Amino acid sequence: MDIPPLAGKVAVLSLGALPLSYALNHVSALSYPLGVVWMSALILGLLFLAIYSLSRSDIYYDPLFAVFAVFSFTSVVDLLIALEEDGYMGSFMAFYTKEGEPYLRTAHGVFICYWDGTVHYLLYLAMAGAIRKRKRYRNLALYWLGSFVMSILVFLPGNILGKYNSEIRPSFFLTIPYLLVPCWAGLRVFNQTQAPSCCTPNMVEEEQRKGLLRRPVDLALIIYLIFAAFFTLFRGLVVLDCPMDACFVYIYQYEPYLRDPVAYPKVQMLVNMFYVLPFYGLAIYALIFPGCSWLPDWTLVFAGAIGQAQFSHMGASMHLRTPFTYRVPEDAWASFFVCNLLYALGPHLLAYRCLWSPAFFLRPLPGPPAHHEKQH
């Protein structure tokens, strides 16, 4: 997969968030929730007009260019929030975390800001650069789509259900576009044509004739997916207060963060159980039976989703913003880190396998008939 060049104009425009945030932090009118809402909406509107005037041809070619450009600006804002909340800088976003979205001060909020300000930011620049150069970016967009949707599925319900539900301010309704944009963007991305495959009909036929024992990589992935599925189900039962002794021991000795009243870890485990677990079952099926052409795309979506989820979960489990009683005990760090890192790494290896050798998942291609011996 070719990595497109980063969009220079978009990067410069996004870095304008630094001086703007510093200036707004000293405006007294922004010490009120409604002031934060109106100012945020005004800035986003002006930013879109600036992008439209500077890159009109790119937006006409692909409207997602405007989405990536605007979101790259908000990614820089999120990175400023995370750095300020961790004490690495000051006087930039205090007004927003105080009067806009105070739940961003939680450990989970800090780590989704880190992810958005680094991984999402680079993806936005790469995808905007691909549009400017009229190159394909479908795979990057699928990874971003999964990561973005997972962040929203956990963060928004967690804000409503957790202990910060009384801290919801009017700026919470600015997240409504964040619910609509992924739906529209996802439809556009999935409707984009896939890159032409280099696999010939003979290669596809030969690969799909191989049994599972002749595909050791796929066999190893199936074994991994089975263990990951049990781990997903187990943690889902833990947050549902399953009375089994194993669940009790796990939640108190290995991941006490699952009991944190902020609700983000509980929502995360339930999302995994109801969405990731079925995908693991379907992925096992697709690795056994050939011709499941949907798997390569969806492995990218779920790799992005699980990558974002595990980064936020692992980071928040050990962050100082999490109360000491809910942090991972020191004697369980090694097992916690290994299990969760493997849980995050597996879907990425599965996605790489599907992109590296897609012949097994392709539908039989039209071509000359295979050679058969003449029967008498």
Side-chain angles (χ1 to χ4, degrees):
M1 180 177 63
D2 295 332
I3 303 298
L6 302 182
K9 287 184 179 180
V10 174
V12 172
L13 193 63
S14 66
L15 293 178
L18 277 75
L20 183 60
S21 298
Y22 185 82
L24 292 177
N25 194 59
H26 294 83
V27 177
S28 59
L30 296 181
S31 59
Y32 302 97
L34 285 178
V36 173
V37 172
W38 288 113
M39 184 58 68
S40 300
L42 177 62
I43 291 173
L44 291 176
L46 293 176
L47 179 63
F48 176 79
L49 291 178
I51 295 169
Y52 181 79
S53 61
L54 292 174
S55 305
R56 188 174 305 179
S57 61
D58 296 323
I59 295 176
Y60 286 155
Y61 175 77
D62 191 337
L64 286 178
F65 181 88
V67 174
F68 300 147
V70 172
F71 280 7
S72 67
F73 182 90
T74 60
S75 291
V76 175
V77 172
D78 282 343
L79 184 59
L80 292 176
I81 291 174
L83 293 174
E84 184 164 336
E85 290 301 317
D86 275 347
Y88 295 111
M89 59 194 310
S91 301
F92 278 89
M93 294 302 300
F95 75 96
Y96 190 80
T97 54
K98 180 180 179 181
E99 302 295 342
E101 297 187 72
Y103 29 81
L104 289 175
R105 293 179 170 179
T106 63
H108 183 86
V110 168
F111 273 90
I112 66 170
C113 286
Y114 273 128
W115 182 269
D116 190 50
T118 53
V119 176
H120 283 176
Y121 181 64
L122 293 176
L123 288 174
Y124 293 141
L125 296 185
M127 291 186 290
I131 294 174
R132 288 189 64 86
K133 298 294 183 180
R134 306 303 190 254
K135 293 185 176 182
R136 296 178 182 274
Y137 64 94
R138 191 172 187 271
N139 290 341
L140 292 176
L142 289 172
Y143 188 90
W144 162 77
L145 183 65
S147 174
F148 193 87
V149 170
M150 177 62 83
S151 176
I152 294 298
L153 283 178
V154 175
F155 189 59
L156 294 186
N159 296 338
I160 298 172
L161 300 174
K163 68 177 183 179
Y164 282 87
N165 59 0
S166 61
E167 298 289 335
I168 292 178
R169 309 293 170 79
S171 57
F172 179 81
F173 297 99
L174 290 177
T175 58
I176 293 177
Y178 278 79
L179 298 174
L180 302 178
V181 168
C183 300
W184 173 65
L187 291 175
R188 290 191 62 88
V189 170
F190 274 103
N191 287 331
Q192 291 180 6
T193 57
Q194 297 181 349
S197 174
C198 59
C199 301
T200 64
N202 287 337
M203 292 172 58
V204 173
E205 183 179 2
E206 180 182 358
E207 187 67 22
Q208 294 186 354
R209 281 181 175 178
K210 293 181 180 179
L212 187 59
L213 296 179
R214 295 177 59 193
R215 294 182 284 118
V217 173
D218 291 352
L219 180 60
L221 286 172
I222 289 175
I223 295 173
Y224 163 82
L225 290 172
I226 292 174
F227 280 102
F230 277 110
F231 188 55
T232 303
L233 178 61
F234 175 72
R235 291 204 294 185
L237 295 176
V238 167
V239 298
L240 289 175
D241 296 327
C242 177
M244 290 192 306
D245 291 341
C247 295
F248 180 84
V249 171
Y250 185 82
I251 200 171
Y252 279 95
Q253 297 187 13
Y254 292 94
E255 284 198 57
Y257 179 58
L258 298 178
R259 297 186 294 114
D260 195 326
V262 293
Y264 301 120
K266 294 181 180 180
V267 174
Q268 182 66 74
M269 296 306 111
L270 292 177
V271 169
N272 289 351
M273 188 169 67
F274 289 112
Y275 294 96
V276 177
L277 181 59
F279 169 74
Y280 283 157
L282 293 173
I284 292 172
Y285 174 88
L287 287 170
I288 297 175
F289 300 98
C292 297
S293 57
W294 47 266
L295 184 63
D297 284 350
W298 284 101
T299 55
L300 284 169
V301 173
F302 276 86
I306 297 171
Q308 188 280 332
Q310 287 300 105
F311 177 83
S312 302
H313 179 72
M314 292 173 66
S317 297
M318 297 181 286
H319 195 265
L320 294 178
R321 290 292 177 91
T322 298
F324 180 79
T325 54
Y326 300 127
R327 289 182 221 159
V328 178
E330 291 187 9
D331 58 350
W333 278 5
S335 57
F336 168 81
F337 189 80
V338 170
C339 290
N340 281 275
L341 185 62
L342 289 176
Y343 192 80
L345 184 62
H348 289 80
L349 294 177
L350 176 61
Y352 178 77
R353 180 265 177 271
C354 293
L355 295 176
W356 168 61
S357 180
F360 184 78
F361 309 107
L362 297 177
R363 294 179 180 177
L365 302 173
H371 177 73
H372 298 283
E373 294 183 0
K374 184 175 179 181
Q375 298 180 353
H376 298 282

